[in-house]
């Protein structure tokens, strides 16, 4: 064997060894330890990570979470992505999946609510923004853009509603910095790439590099609701009972206490 061939052989062995190690470490489904694949809105990351850790400690069941915009996750589920449980940031995308027979609406639960806020980098100076004054809003935006989730994402839709009802939309509709989800918009502000961002109150709480400069009135947008429901998997895999048990935990006293701890509001019924 040539030196080059020996080198390639060693590299191949190392790659195989690494792949084997990763496979051994990855969570697996089994009858005794079911793996729950959770698809959830990006704004729920901290609270659901905490809930998943508690659930695993209590039951031994592993919750493997994927976080992204609700629209993106719903479309992935429709395309056959292996999700057992879906938690959206609005009911539109849950209804969209329900119309396709992909979620169990009889088991659906409203888990939490939220609020919309305007944030700026924590280093930015200035008084709070007066949302009743388009001139003050535009002045604070300066030459920059407004970070906001894409309009297909619940946070973006709620945000556009609020801006329109407060007569602020015309001044910013062409000056948006859209993100794939609300956390992408938050990140733009945290990195000081934009002067202002429109996010959920819980996002602002989770990011120490931003500060709230205004709160949007609840009447300026549709109620923010997080519904959850088990997914009807096309591949027949998964454990519906395990997914339902985790959803019940989130909707119960223990889960609701966690939502409150992370700053979420009670879900409107």
């Amino acid at each position: 064997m040539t030196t080059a061939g020996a080198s390639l052989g060693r590299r191949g062995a190392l790659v195989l060894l690494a792949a084997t190690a990763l496979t051994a470490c990855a969570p697996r489904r089994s009858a005794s330890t079911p793996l729950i694949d959770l698809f959830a809105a990006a704004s729920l990351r901290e609270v659901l990570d905490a809930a998943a850790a508690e659930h695993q400690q209590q039951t031994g069941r592993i919750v493997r979470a994927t976080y992204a915009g609700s629209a993106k996750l719903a479309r992935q589920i429709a395309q056959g992505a292996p999700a057992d449980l879906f938690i959206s940031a609005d009911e539109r995308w849950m209804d969209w999946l329900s119309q396709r027979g992909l979620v169990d609406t009889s088991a659906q639960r409203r888990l939490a609510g939220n609020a919309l806020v305007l944030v700026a980098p924590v280093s930015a100076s200035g008084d709070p923004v007066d949302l009743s004054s388009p001139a003050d809003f535009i002045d604070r935006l300066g030459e920059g853009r407004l970070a906001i989730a894409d309009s297909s994402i619940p946070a973006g839709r709620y945000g556009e509603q609020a801006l329109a009802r407060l007569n602020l939309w015309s001044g910013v509709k062409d000056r948006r910095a859209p993100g794939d989800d609300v956390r992408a918009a938050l990140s733009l502000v945290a990195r000081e790439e934009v002067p202002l961002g429109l996010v959920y109150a819980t996002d602002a709480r989770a990011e120490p590099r931003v500060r709230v400069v205004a709160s949007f009135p609840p009447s300026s947008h549709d109620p923010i609701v997080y519904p959850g429901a088990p997914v009807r998997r096309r591949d027949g895999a998964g454990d519906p009972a395990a997914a339902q048990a985790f959803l019940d935990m989130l909707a119960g006293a223990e889960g609701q206490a966690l939502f409150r701890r992370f700053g979420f509001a009670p879900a409107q019924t």
Side-chain angles (χ1 to χ4, degrees):
M1 180 181 295
T2 66
T3 302
S7 176
L8 288 172
R10 286 194 296 272
R11 289 177 186 172
L14 288 172
V15 169
L16 179 60
L17 181 61
T20 303
L22 287 172
T23 302
C25 293
R28 298 179 180 178
R29 292 184 181 275
S30 71
S32 59
T33 308
L35 175 64
I36 304 166
D37 275 308
L38 167 67
F39 278 28
S43 52
L44 294 169
R45 180 183 296 272
E46 288 78 16
V47 65
L48 290 185
D49 280 352
E54 288 198 14
H55 192 66
Q56 182 177 351
Q57 185 177 20
Q58 294 172 5
T59 67
R61 292 169 177 161
I62 299 169
V63 179
R64 180 169 59 188
T66 298
Y67 299 107
S70 300
K72 180 179 181 179
L73 295 175
R75 292 187 181 112
Q76 288 179 348
I77 290 170
Q79 292 168 3
D84 299 307
L85 182 62
F86 176 52
I87 304 178
S88 174
D90 73 353
E91 293 186 316
R92 287 192 180 189
W93 285 107
M94 186 66 75
D95 292 343
W96 187 83
L97 286 175
S98 176
Q99 291 164 8
R100 288 157 176 77
L102 295 174
V103 291
D104 183 1
T105 53
S106 67
Q108 183 173 320
R109 303 284 188 272
R110 283 184 167 186
L111 299 175
N114 215 328
L116 284 183
V117 297
L118 191 68
V119 294
V122 72
S123 60
S125 60
D127 296 328
V129 174
D130 182 1
L131 293 179
S132 67
S133 170
D136 186 48
F137 186 83
I138 295 301
D139 181 63
R140 288 295 294 274
L141 199 58
E143 298 298 320
R145 295 184 296 163
L146 174 71
I148 183 172
D150 185 81
S151 59
S152 66
I153 305 300
R157 180 173 59 83
Y158 294 131
E160 290 185 13
Q161 286 179 346
L163 293 169
R165 292 177 187 177
L166 295 174
N167 299 315
L168 300 169
W169 178 242
S170 62
V172 298
K173 64 180 181 180
D174 297 323
R175 301 180 59 188
R176 291 170 294 157
D180 290 339
D181 55 52
V182 69
R183 288 302 174 92
L186 180 70
S187 181
L188 288 175
V189 184
R191 297 197 305 266
E192 301 187 20
E193 295 182 25
V194 296
L196 295 173
L198 199 158
V199 299
Y200 294 127
T202 52
D203 296 310
R205 175 174 172 159
E207 175 51 76
R209 294 175 294 172
V210 307
R211 65 185 181 93
V212 175
V213 293
S215 297
F216 288 86
S219 59
S220 67
H221 55 81
D222 291 343
I224 300 171
V225 178
Y226 291 87
V231 176
R232 291 175 173 151
R233 291 182 56 153
R234 290 175 174 173
D235 60 7
D239 188 329
Q244 184 66 59
F246 184 56
L247 180 60
D248 290 343
M249 176 265 198
L250 294 174
E254 182 182 8
Q256 291 300 293
L258 274 175
F259 278 109
R260 289 193 300 272
R261 194 177 95 197
F262 282 86
F264 288 85
Q268 296 189 18
T269 57

